């Protein structure tokens, strides 16, 4: 019996090409092929357009953080312009196509097929996603379907773990950076019983930079210090000639301090998943996962600098799974049939304090929470009509989801008298949602491919949006237990060009309409009180351009997105305005020189247009241009000297701006940050 370890190419193919299916590999049925990947992409995948980030680009990030690399895809954004060192974790939702407006993810983010958003908040634990553990990232903008498709109203971001061929037996790196920052990582991978086991860990910390401008600092102002670690165990074991088991477990903790001394946040998680892949005649992709997460956060008054709120405990649990089957229906069709389910439960425990009294007494104890359940069935078929030489592919599918929101409650108790001041139990809700998509891909020639797609989808409000109010002084944002699901309808058309070997160009025009969009709506005259509400709709239309070229040792890639996004809310003051935190223009470009042997250099330039802090456009966040770079110098025996630079021109990036009674409160993004370090085996 022969044993092969092959690299996964599940997601790394260009939009107009296909990965070779394992079933097409030469050999007999006794050969065991261990890839550690999922099933191959269906032939209709390019009809929906996507951007692929390969492993080398993931490793060549000046910040060493996955959210920075995702910025290569113009139109990708978080609620704030900060990364996972200087942003509150609950702000780190992921969205695309200017469909933002609050901090929850409108984009479905998957790691090896498993949803990774926090079960309570919906944010992405970016600090736990070390780029060196990944093989490739595929970003598909637009509504999604298939497994876990509920929630993919702005698109899907698929991350695949690095394969055995990409993982050396041992790798390590150590960096020292500005403001006493350190980053250390290591990985050990060993073959075992025809498969392999990989264990990796990462720890980074830093004294942080001042997010507060100099003229706004006070005695209590401190830099945005951070300290986080994560560890990941992944094992892949063959079962038969065409099937394997994949197991992954991740532990992480992330501690940050923002703006004022004592304003500390903590997020942690313990995730595990198991996946069964069968690449035989009846292909199967089945997985189950569990997430145990927690979050805490202390709010400090900006007038007295005493504790005003202690969100001391927010435990949540996510459990889910899917089964997808691809029956053998002939060479012209790839049929996908499946079911999936997701359950989320969470609680918020917080204590309010009187920050105006020197003793800083506790005033109220609050407890809120609830459950969510979404279960769906889906079917999708990709048809390559016979007789056209594979030039035309038609694809279409549908989902039916049953969702429920249950056991919602909010309780407030006087900390002094123990008297119950508020005790609300919210009615259970449930309904069916039907969504679908269709697409077509026509390869007019080797150099030209035309595509078009239309889709629909929905997203449930998170437990955070339903039940947890929050404060970012001086603004208080209230929860809303009556929020309805968001519903998307969209269409797009595009062209992919390959005018010469190594050169690709792509253009996409899109129209997306998000009905009942959830936004943070200003409800007080002074602008300091907001509430999460469904607005009539958000309409986003625009153009996305991507380009790449590889000539000898040089490569160039670029991405640009124009998103004209407007809120439709008849009678409201923000009717006709763009959603909060959504830029109209975004662009990114990277130039790299990477010979097969010797030193390498990569430089990335990013531009983000101005955007507004709030729904009423009272405060503007100016446009910003940043430049990053990374250089590698091999010094022998697998060791390289590495220099990295973030925001090399020290651009002033405003991430938050709130003006109260003419007095601004401003937060800034990462200033110039320099790193020096060594890597081995990477």
């Amino acid at each position: 019996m022969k044993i092969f370890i092959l690299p996964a190419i599940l997601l790394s193919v260009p939009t107009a090409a296909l990965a070779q299916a394992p079933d097409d590999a030469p050999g007999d049925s006794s050969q065991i092929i261990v890839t550690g990947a999922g099933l191959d992409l269906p032939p209709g995948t390019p009809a929906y357009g996507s951007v692929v980030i390969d492993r080398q680009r993931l490793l060549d990030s000046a910040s060493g953080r996955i959210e920075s690399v995702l910025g290569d895809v113009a139109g990708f954004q978080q609620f704030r312009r900060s990364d996972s060192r200087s942003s509150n974790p609950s702000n780190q939702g992921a969205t695309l196509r200017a469909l933002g407006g609050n901090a929850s993810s409108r984009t479905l983010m998957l790691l090896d097929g498993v949803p990774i958003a926090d079960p309570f908040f919906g944010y992405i634990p970016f600090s736990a996603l070390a780029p060196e553990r990944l093989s490739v990232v595929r970003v598909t903008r637009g509504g999604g379907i298939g497994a876990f498709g509920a929630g993919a109203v702005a698109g899907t971001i698929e991350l695949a773990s690095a394969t055995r061929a990409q993982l050396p037996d041992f790798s390590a790196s150590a960096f020292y950076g500005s403001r006493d920052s350190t980053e250390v990582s290591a990985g050990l991978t060993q073959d075992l019983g025809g498969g392999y086991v990989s264990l990796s860990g990462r720890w980074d910390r830093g004294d942080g930079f001042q997010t507060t401008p100099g003229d706004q600092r006070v005695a209590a102002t401190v830099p945005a210090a951070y300290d986080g670690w994560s560890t990941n165990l992944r094992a892949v074991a063959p079962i038969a000639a065409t099937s394997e088991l994949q197991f992954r477990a991740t532990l992480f903790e992330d501690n940050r301090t923002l703006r004022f001394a004592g304003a500390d946040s903590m997020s942690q998680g313990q995730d595990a998943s198991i996946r069964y892949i069968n690449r035989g005649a009846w292909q199967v992709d089945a997985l189950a996962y569990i997430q145990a997460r927690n979050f805490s956060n202390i709010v400090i008054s900006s007038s007295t600098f005493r504790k005003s709120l202690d969100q001391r405990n927010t435990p949540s649990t996510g459990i889910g799974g899917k089964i997808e089957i691809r029956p053998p229906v002939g060479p012209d069709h790839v049929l996908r049939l499946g079911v999936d389910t997701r359950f989320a439960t969470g609680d918020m425990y917080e204590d309010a304090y009187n920050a105006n009294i020197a003793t800083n007494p506790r005033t109220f104890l609050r407890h809120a929470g609830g459950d969510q359940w979404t279960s769906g069935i889906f079917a999708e078929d990709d048809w390559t009509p016979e007789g056209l030489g594979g030039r035309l592919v038609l694809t279409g599918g549908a989902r039916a989801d049953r969702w429920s929101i249950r056991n919602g409650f909010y309780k407030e108790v006087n900390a002094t008298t123990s008297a119950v001041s508020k005790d609300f139990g919210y009615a259970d809700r449930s309904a069916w949602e039907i969504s679908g998509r269709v697409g077509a891909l026509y390869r007019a020639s080797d150099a030209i491919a035309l595509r078009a797609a239309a889709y629909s989808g929905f997203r449930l409000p998170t437990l955070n949006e339903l039940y947890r109010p929050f404060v970012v002084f001086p603004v208080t944002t209230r929860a809303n237990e009556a929020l309805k699901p968001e519903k998307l309808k969209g269409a797009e058309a595009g062209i992919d060009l390959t005018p010469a070997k190594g050169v690709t160009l792509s253009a996409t025009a899109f129209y997306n309409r998000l009905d009942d969009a959830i936004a943070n709506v200003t409800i007080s005259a002074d602008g300091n009180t907001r509430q999460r509400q469904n607005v009539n709709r958000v309409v986003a239309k625009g153009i996305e351009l991507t380009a790449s070229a590889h000539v000898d040792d040089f490569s160039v890639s670029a991405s640009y997105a124009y998103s004209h996004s407007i809120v439709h809310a008849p009678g409201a003051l923000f009717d006709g305005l763009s959603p909060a935190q959504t830029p109209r223009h975004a662009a990114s470009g990277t130039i790299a020189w990477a010979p097969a042997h010797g030193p390498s250099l990569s430089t990335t330039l990013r531009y983000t247009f101005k955007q507004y802090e709030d729904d009423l456009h009272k405060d503007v966040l100016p446009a910003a241009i940043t430049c990053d770079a990374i250089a590698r110098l091999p010094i022998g025996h697998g060791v390289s000297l590495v220099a990295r630079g973030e925001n090399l021109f020290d651009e002033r990036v405003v991430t938050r701006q709130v003006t109260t009674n003419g007095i601004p409160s401003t937060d800034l993004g990462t200033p110039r940050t320099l790193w020096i370090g060594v890597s081995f085996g990477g």
Side-chain angles (χ1 to χ4, degrees):
M1 180 176 68
K2 298 179 181 180
I3 296 176
F4 295 87
I5 306 293
L6 298 181
I9 50 176
L10 171 66
L11 298 176
S12 59
V13 296
T15 55
L18 296 176
Q20 180 188 26
D23 289 344
D24 295 334
D28 57 54
S29 61
S30 66
Q31 294 176 332
I32 293 181
I33 300 175
V34 177
T35 71
L39 299 178
D40 289 283
L41 293 169
T45 300
Y48 302 104
S50 60
V51 178
V52 174
I53 304 173
D54 63 23
R55 178 168 172 80
Q56 190 58 51
R57 178 65 188 116
L58 292 168
L59 296 176
D60 285 343
S61 166
S63 69
R65 314 188 85 79
I66 187 65
E67 63 270 30
S68 298
V69 184
L70 288 171
D72 285 3
V73 181
F76 168 83
Q77 65 177 119
Q78 303 174 74
F79 186 62
R80 302 284 181 198
R81 295 173 172 180
S82 308
D83 65 24
S84 55
R85 293 167 293 189
S86 61
S87 175
N88 189 287
S90 62
N91 287 332
Q92 295 190 265
T95 193
L96 296 158
R97 288 186 170 169
L99 287 172
N102 67 21
S104 296
S105 290
R106 289 187 166 97
T107 300
L108 175 65
M109 199 160 181
L110 304 170
L111 174 58
D112 297 329
V114 176
I116 58 176
D118 184 88
F120 187 92
F121 291 91
Y123 70 78
I124 307 299
F126 285 113
S127 62
L129 302 173
E132 62 267 20
R133 298 174 190 157
L134 301 176
S135 169
V136 73
V137 176
R138 175 179 289 272
V139 180
T140 302
R141 296 172 283 203
I145 201 174
F148 306 117
V153 293
T156 305
I157 301 175
E158 300 165 276
L159 289 71
S161 291
T163 64
R164 181 63 181 101
Q166 296 169 326
L167 295 171
D169 291 349
F170 177 73
S171 63
S173 66
F175 290 88
Y176 181 79
S178 304
R179 297 171 292 278
D180 198 26
S181 302
T182 56
E183 176 193 306
V184 179
S185 65
L188 178 66
T189 305
Q190 294 295 308
D191 297 333
L192 182 64
Y196 62 91
V197 176
S198 181
L199 177 65
S200 61
R202 181 171 179 167
W203 171 61
D204 55 4
R205 61 153 306 280
D207 291 345
F209 61 91
Q210 289 282 3
T211 61
T212 307
D215 60 353
Q216 296 179 25
R217 295 174 195 165
V218 296
T221 304
V222 296
Y226 64 96
D227 191 336
W229 61 267
S230 67
T231 184
N232 187 78
L233 173 67
R234 190 162 191 261
V236 178
I239 298 177
T242 58
S243 61
E244 66 189 50
L245 274 180
Q246 305 169 9
F247 172 80
R248 180 176 54 84
T250 302
L251 309 178
F252 68 88
E253 182 171 310
D254 190 346
N255 296 278
R256 310 176 198 176
T257 299
L258 301 177
R259 197 173 178 90
F260 297 122
D264 303 326
S265 69
M266 183 279 297
S267 59
Q268 62 180 200
Q270 303 88 42
D271 295 1
S273 65
I274 188 166
R275 189 182 196 185
Y276 169 74
I277 297 292
N278 189 334
R279 298 182 176 86
W282 284 75
Q283 297 187 6
V284 178
D285 184 351
L287 64 83
Y289 71 88
I290 184 169
Q291 302 165 325
R293 304 282 181 86
N294 205 345
F295 171 83
S296 65
N297 183 58
I298 296 175
V299 179
I300 299 295
S301 167
S302 64
S303 57
T304 66
F305 310 112
R306 303 187 187 103
K307 186 189 309 184
S308 61
L309 188 66
D310 183 358
Q311 297 166 329
R312 55 185 172 83
N313 197 20
T314 316
S316 63
T317 302
I319 301 173
K322 77 156 187 178
I323 299 175
E324 177 183 327
I325 298 174
R326 300 183 184 180
V329 290
D332 298 340
H333 292 268
V334 175
L335 177 63
R336 302 169 61 202
L337 304 172
V339 298
D340 60 66
T341 187
R342 280 185 285 181
F343 172 74
T345 183
D347 292 83
M348 175 209 73
Y349 297 89
E350 68 177 26
D351 300 343
Y353 289 78
N354 189 333
N356 295 318
I357 300 177
T359 57
N360 203 193
R362 192 169 57 170
T363 55
F364 292 99
L365 313 179
R366 298 169 183 147
H367 182 201
D371 304 331
Q372 287 183 334
W373 200 306
T374 305
S375 296
I377 58 175
F378 63 90
E380 189 161 25
D381 183 54
D382 291 24
W383 176 35
T384 307
E386 187 179 2
L388 296 177
R391 290 184 297 164
L392 175 66
V393 181
L394 302 176
T395 178
R399 277 188 65 94
D401 286 278
R402 178 70 174 179
W403 63 263
S404 64
I405 298 174
R406 299 183 240 168
N407 304 320
F409 68 94
Y410 182 91
K411 186 175 183 178
E412 183 178 86
V413 176
N414 188 294
T416 303
T417 66
S418 298
V420 177
S421 55
K422 296 178 182 178
D423 191 358
F424 304 127
Y426 305 119
D428 295 347
R429 293 183 283 156
S430 62
W432 283 93
E433 295 288 346
I434 306 297
S435 54
R437 67 178 184 177
V438 293
L441 173 70
Y442 178 67
R443 296 184 178 90
S445 67
D446 291 341
I448 301 174
L450 304 175
R451 51 186 165 78
Y455 35 75
S456 63
F458 80 101
R459 181 186 77 89
L460 281 184
T462 63
L463 297 173
N464 175 53
E465 292 169 311
L466 291 165
Y467 307 125
R468 174 185 171 263
F470 69 95
V471 178
V472 180
F473 194 86
V475 177
T476 297
T477 302
R478 298 176 182 172
N480 184 351
E481 77 286 350
L483 290 172
K484 298 181 289 186
E486 299 177 330
K487 299 180 182 180
L488 176 89
K489 296 181 179 67
E492 63 186 64
I495 183 171
D496 300 318
L497 303 176
T498 309
K501 183 180 180 180
V503 179
T504 60
L505 305 170
S506 177
T508 303
F510 68 89
Y511 175 92
N512 285 179
R513 168 175 162 167
L514 188 65
D515 293 320
D516 292 322
I518 298 171
N520 297 335
V521 177
T522 301
I523 59 175
S524 65
D526 62 4
N528 290 339
T529 304
R530 300 173 188 165
Q531 185 185 39
R532 299 182 181 100
Q533 294 183 5
N534 292 105
V535 301
N536 185 269
R537 65 183 181 272
V538 171
V539 174
K541 50 190 175 183
I543 296 174
E544 297 157 346
L545 306 175
T546 61
S548 67
H550 299 268
V551 179
D552 296 328
D553 297 333
F554 288 91
S555 64
V556 178
S557 62
S559 178
Y560 167 75
Y562 167 75
S563 304
H564 186 269
S565 184
I566 295 296
V567 178
H568 292 261
L573 294 176
F574 52 85
D575 182 41
L577 302 181
S578 61
Q581 306 290 339
T582 56
R584 183 156 293 185
H585 303 272
S588 175
T590 298
I591 300 176
W593 174 60
H597 303 285
S600 63
L601 175 66
S602 175
T603 302
T604 298
L605 195 69
R606 292 194 180 96
Y607 169 74
T608 303
F609 192 61
K610 71 176 181 179
Q611 58 196 61
Y612 294 94
E613 172 69 30
D614 62 316
D615 59 323
L616 299 180
H617 289 195
K618 291 174 56 180
D619 291 294
V620 64
L621 310 181
I625 300 177
T626 60
C627 179
D628 297 344
I630 180 171
R632 297 179 183 273
L633 176 63
I635 56 179
H637 304 290
V639 179
S640 295
L641 183 66
V642 183
R644 306 184 334 210
E646 305 176 60
N647 194 3
L648 290 175
F649 301 129
D650 207 21
E651 176 83 346
R652 188 178 190 266
V653 181
V654 178
T655 64
R656 188 185 72 95
Q657 177 72 45
V658 178
T659 304
T660 304
N661 298 323
I663 301 175
S665 175
T666 307
D667 285 346
L668 303 177
T670 305
R672 181 189 295 117
T673 303
L674 305 178
W675 299 84
I676 189 71
V678 294
S679 67
F680 171 76

